[in-house]
Amino acid sequence: MTRHLITSALPYINGVKHLGNLVGSMLPSDLYARYLRANDQDVLFICATDEHGTPAELAARAANLDVATFCAEQHDVQAKLGEAFSLSFDYFGRSSSPQNHELTQHFGEKLLENGFIEERVTKQIFSIEDDRFLPDRYVEGTCPHCNYDKARGDQCESCTRLLDPTDLIEPRSAISGSTNLEVRESKHLFLLQSKLSDEIREWVGKHPDWPLLVSSIALKWLDEGLHDRGITRDLKWGVPVGREGMEDKVYYVWFDAPIGYIAATKEWADEDPENRDWKSWWYEADDVRYTEFMAKDNIPFHTVTFPGTQIGSREPWKMVDYIKGFNWLNYYGGKFSTSQQRGIFMTDAIEMLPADYWRYYLLANAPESSDASFTWEGFSGTVNKDLADTLGNFVNRILKFCSAKFGDALPEGGEIGAREIALAEVMQARIATYNKHMEELQIRKAMQELRAIWVMGNEYLTEAAPWTAFKTDPDAAAVSLRFAINMIRVFAVLSAPVIPTASQTLASALGLQLNERDWIKKPVLDELQVLPAGHEFTIPDVLFRKISDEEVAGWQEKFGGLEGE
């Protein structure tokens, strides 16, 4: 049986992540992991904090902490936020772990042995005022490609082009702001991507099923010609190169971060070595299907750089089978930004509303085919219409009415008729479509299908009208109530990967012990699954509350986003 390895792009350590980070990798990967587990698949879901590089040092400096302490604290913060948002990682590791040091140095040695790394003398920016070299993100300036005036020395946040610090126009130190800079020579290691280009292209060509967003970015890089990339930096925080003459240098964060997927799996295995084997997932792992989730700015490193590292090692490492790439979720047309503190961050979001509100909204509006824009009006509209009215109202209405007229158990009387049988067949077809979209990672389509299944409940109530039938034909009312309450069971199971807390609330109300491996695997009316007459239930609290216009106005004022701001 195929085993499924799933990784989310590693959230960077320099601060709490915003909703764009959440929907760009962590949340959809959790959705997929939960869905596969529910279908009895063997899943290993891995993530970690990405802790090296200059932004970590800059953030630590701003927090007046040494970088190791800062990263340890932020890892704990991000791990707890992951739990708060019901992210079901099997392991949430750290790229600063001893395991990642060991594996990164291993890859470096193998690439060197195989002739894919060479030492070069480079020209780098040195700050006179700071008395130090300024690697990549320690340098800011204007992008030579798009004129964005806050570009960093490794990549422009606006146009996503990779840069060297010497490319920037009017460069300045990110530490002191000084423009008193000069170019000096420094010795570094380079990954010879140019020698690996043909092999990388051949590997990319073996994945015609990749989303267009992913394949187009990979081919654009390859068509433009792969350049040899410096993979070391003049820093003390990071994975030491461990080579004579390079005692003060570490591997570049974009070299060691993807290796962190493997290292975090080793962290997981090292906690229980008698029962866990990390290598079976990563080395000669022919029975593993590996799926990665990431936003579009990460795609080049996962379709070119990291695959090149794996190929160049000449070892049988497991390479990714499918990459689910996402465009950006913007905030009122402007980019979410950790560095600029623009947008809604996970700490703010979870203090305002439970995780399921955010999970459903973000997945229903996942930026798959194009960039999407978060607005408070759109958020409140989705919550009120889909979660409060369509799902929550159906559940509370039907259970309260049944309790009032028949008591707190599914009522006796009557037999299901042609209407219920026909509806069950339509629902079964919709469940099949929902499964297809989930398997194909068409997330917005899957959420549309899930909502359509919820809508079927309300449409059935409107047609069956048990409150009217009860007056003249109690048996007919009993039939429709039993059927509708069984629809709640279906909703609880199908919604579990999306809104796990609410689904558990529904399961508890119905007296069911649903676990992560429950799914709708048999016909909706299968007698072994249908809740029978006499099955007891309780009435849950309001599943999802409505968001008021006053709240929207208050959030707009607090977080920005009013039109014209």
Side-chain angles (χ1 to χ4, degrees):
M1 188 170 101
T2 299
R3 295 181 295 155
H4 290 270
L5 176 64
I6 299 171
T7 61
S8 161
L10 308 187
Y12 200 67
I13 200 69
N14 64 334
V16 171
K17 301 299 99 181
H18 52 66
L19 297 186
N21 299 133
L22 183 60
V23 74
S25 57
M26 294 181 283
L27 181 55
S29 57
D30 176 72
L31 174 77
Y32 190 50
R34 286 177 176 275
Y35 173 76
L36 290 176
R37 290 190 197 109
N39 282 275
D40 289 325
Q41 299 296 309
D42 189 0
V43 174
L44 182 60
F45 180 23
I46 294 292
C47 193
T49 38
D50 180 3
E51 300 186 11
H52 295 141
T54 50
E57 294 199 60
L58 292 171
R61 181 188 295 266
N64 199 29
L65 293 170
D66 70 87
V67 67
T69 301
F70 173 81
C71 288
E73 290 183 359
Q74 287 299 310
H75 172 81
D76 187 53
V77 167
Q78 294 199 28
K80 289 178 179 176
L81 280 170
E83 292 174 3
F85 278 88
S86 302
L87 302 180
S88 60
F89 302 126
D90 288 296
Y91 195 80
F92 188 66
R94 303 180 62 183
S95 71
S96 63
S97 69
Q99 291 88 342
N100 200 37
H101 280 226
E102 176 189 343
L103 282 162
T104 298
Q105 290 173 342
H106 171 83
F107 274 99
E109 291 165 4
K110 286 298 178 183
L111 288 163
L112 185 64
E113 286 175 14
N114 296 329
F116 295 117
I117 283 180
E118 73 177 25
E119 190 176 292
R120 295 179 183 177
V121 174
T122 66
K123 293 183 177 181
Q124 292 199 215
I125 291 178
F126 188 90
S127 170
I128 306 299
E129 186 170 321
D130 300 314
D131 191 29
R132 62 171 293 172
F133 282 103
L134 299 178
D136 41 68
R137 293 195 182 198
Y138 272 63
V139 187
E140 296 177 344
T142 299
C143 175
H145 303 288
C146 70
N147 294 319
Y148 178 61
D149 63 359
K150 295 179 181 177
R152 303 183 302 255
D154 63 339
Q155 187 176 21
C156 176
E157 192 178 52
S158 179
C159 71
T160 78
R161 294 287 289 270
L162 289 185
L163 301 169
D164 285 315
T166 53
D167 295 333
L168 295 172
I169 301 168
E170 298 179 349
R172 59 189 178 274
S173 167
I175 301 171
S176 62
S178 172
T179 57
N180 186 15
L181 312 177
E182 65 180 32
V183 177
R184 295 185 181 180
E185 290 187 343
S186 182
K187 194 186 303 180
H188 284 282
L189 298 182
F190 276 70
L191 176 62
L192 305 184
Q193 292 187 137
S194 57
K195 292 178 67 174
L196 290 160
S197 180
D198 290 345
E199 291 179 78
I200 295 171
R201 183 184 290 275
E202 180 183 358
W203 172 76
V204 169
K206 293 178 180 177
H207 299 89
D209 61 329
W210 283 0
L212 179 61
L213 174 67
V214 174
S215 59
S216 62
I217 290 175
L219 292 173
K220 179 175 183 291
W221 273 49
L222 288 163
D223 290 344
E224 290 177 352
L226 294 186
H227 301 288
D228 300 335
R229 297 292 300 175
I231 58 169
T232 54
R233 293 294 185 267
D234 291 293
L235 294 169
K236 296 190 181 302
W237 176 247
V239 178
V241 173
R243 179 175 174 170
E244 186 177 349
M246 293 196 163
E247 290 80 3
D248 293 329
K249 300 184 193 299
V250 299
Y251 281 107
Y252 180 34
V253 63
W254 268 115
F255 183 74
D256 84 75
I259 298 170
Y261 298 133
I262 308 174
T265 309
K266 191 172 188 301
E267 286 183 69
W268 164 79
D270 286 349
E271 286 194 349
D272 187 6
E274 292 186 4
N275 298 301
R276 299 173 181 173
D277 178 9
W278 71 273
K279 262 196 169 181
S280 76
W281 290 92
W282 281 104
Y283 205 82
E284 298 180 333
D286 295 334
D287 64 332
V288 172
R289 177 172 172 80
Y290 177 22
T291 307
E292 294 176 343
F293 291 77
M294 69 199 64
K296 60 184 175 183
D297 54 333
N298 283 334
I299 289 172
F301 302 102
H302 291 78
T303 56
V304 174
T305 307
F306 183 43
T309 297
Q310 292 179 294
I311 291 169
S313 75
R314 297 303 191 231
E315 295 180 318
W317 293 102
K318 177 61 188 176
M319 298 179 68
V320 67
D321 294 295
Y322 190 82
I323 298 176
K324 179 62 178 180
F326 291 88
N327 290 281
W328 281 317
L329 177 70
N330 294 322
Y331 182 73
Y332 282 87
K335 288 181 180 175
F336 278 87
S337 172
T338 299
S339 59
Q340 298 178 36
Q341 288 293 298
R342 175 179 172 82
I344 313 303
F345 290 77
M346 290 171 69
T347 44
D348 298 318
I350 205 66
E351 288 175 1
M352 295 159 62
L353 290 166
D356 282 352
Y357 290 73
W358 303 102
R359 287 177 63 100
Y360 176 75
Y361 169 81
L362 291 170
L363 292 169
N365 294 277
E368 291 176 291
S369 58
S370 62
D371 290 350
S373 185
F374 177 94
T375 68
W376 289 111
E377 300 90 343
F379 174 66
S380 63
T382 297
V383 168
N384 292 348
K385 184 177 180 181
D386 293 1
L387 296 178
D389 285 346
T390 303
L391 177 60
N393 185 52
F394 170 79
V395 170
N396 281 92
R397 221 170 40 149
I398 202 70
L399 292 180
K400 284 182 177 179
F401 181 76
C402 186
S403 175
K405 302 301 183 183
F406 292 97
D408 295 338
L410 275 68
E412 303 274 358
E415 297 290 337
I416 63 167
R419 176 170 55 199
E420 286 76 27
I421 293 171
L423 181 57
E425 291 175 353
V426 174
M427 185 179 293
Q428 203 68 49
R430 283 203 173 276
I431 291 171
T433 302
Y434 177 57
N435 282 328
K436 181 174 183 291
H437 291 326
M438 291 285 270
E439 288 163 4
E440 295 175 351
L441 285 172
Q442 297 292 326
I443 292 174
R444 288 181 72 147
K445 289 182 178 179
M447 296 306 102
Q448 290 166 4
E449 201 63 33
L450 179 61
R451 183 186 181 278
I453 293 170
W454 295 344
V455 167
M456 292 176 69
N458 290 277
E459 291 176 342
Y460 174 71
L461 283 189
T462 299
E463 185 179 345
W467 29 85
T468 301
F470 179 77
K471 299 173 184 176
T472 58
D473 190 350
D475 280 353
V479 168
S480 58
L481 290 172
R482 283 203 309 275
F483 188 81
I485 294 172
N486 270 283
M487 292 180 81
I488 295 175
R489 181 190 69 83
V490 173
F491 296 172
V493 175
L494 297 181
S495 304
V498 185
I499 45 174
T501 302
S503 290
Q504 278 299 322
T505 298
L506 294 180
S508 297
L510 297 182
L512 303 176
Q513 299 298 317
L514 292 184
N515 61 51
E516 66 174 17
R517 296 195 176 275
D518 280 298
W519 200 245
I520 306 296
K521 299 181 175 73
K522 298 179 180 179
V524 170
L525 293 178
D526 184 275
E527 62 180 13
L528 297 178
Q529 295 190 132
V530 169
L531 303 179
H535 183 92
E536 295 182 351
F537 63 83
T538 59
I539 301 172
D541 292 333
V542 173
L543 204 60
F544 292 98
R545 70 168 182 82
K546 285 197 171 186
I547 296 172
S548 69
D549 292 342
E550 290 74 21
E551 285 178 297
V552 169
W555 293 335
Q556 286 175 327
E557 184 175 352
K558 180 178 180 179
F559 295 101
L562 291 168
E563 296 298 336
E565 283 193 0

